Amino acid sequence: VSSRLQEAGAKVIGFCADLDQPDEEDIMDVKKKMAPCGVDTFIVDLKDDIAEMAFEVIKAQARYDGGYWNTTGLARAVTVRGLLDEMQRQGCTVLSHGATGRGNDQIRFERYTNVLSPGFKVYAPWRDP
């Protein structure tokens, strides 16, 4: 996606939220993977933010139908809030996310961005034909 955006004339900067998830053995590998695309990538440490939110989830007993903890939506809120701060420092005006059309993440990224930074635009490349 980043290559396609660059070909279309967009200046692309990558941002990755470090929520301490086990997706990457070393979160810095994300920067290495993006380097061949010619994209500078910033890793934003949001581990403390997600930990604070986890305590709020527990206090509120926020569970999906009484089962698992309802953390996915909250993780998206923490991600957007934390990345928007860094994106604004870097002069960005558009948040482009990689969420596909199969679930709520597209809506979560867009709504959180619209609420937290109404002047920011949101672009979902997977919606383009």
Side-chain angles (χ1 to χ4, degrees), residues 1 4 95-111 114 122-129:
V1 171
R4 189 174 63 133
L95 180 143
S96 176
H97 60 78
T100 62
R102 289 198 234 153
N104 298 324
D105 282 345
Q106 281 190 51
I107 303 303
R108 288 175 177 143
F109 282 116
E110 290 173 22
R111 289 198 176 153
N114 292 337
V122 178
Y123 173 63
W126 296 108
R127 290 187 187 150
D128 279 352

Side-chain angles (χ1 to χ4, degrees), residues 59 71 122:
K59 281 197 287 190
T71 55
V122 178

Side-chain angles (χ1 to χ4, degrees), residues 15-19 42-47 82-83 86 89:
F15 296 88
C16 178
D18 182 359
L19 302 175
F42 294 85
I43 307 297
V44 181
D45 185 347
L46 299 175
K47 292 187 288 283
L83 294 184
E86 184 61 29
R89 277 192 285 281

Side-chain angles (χ1 to χ4, degrees), residues 20-38:
D20 208 23
Q21 292 179 289
D23 300 67
E24 301 284 337
E25 268 185 48
D26 181 359
I27 193 72
M28 299 313 282
D29 286 345
V30 172
K31 290 178 88 157
K32 294 175 192 167
K33 291 175 182 178
M34 292 303 291
C37 300

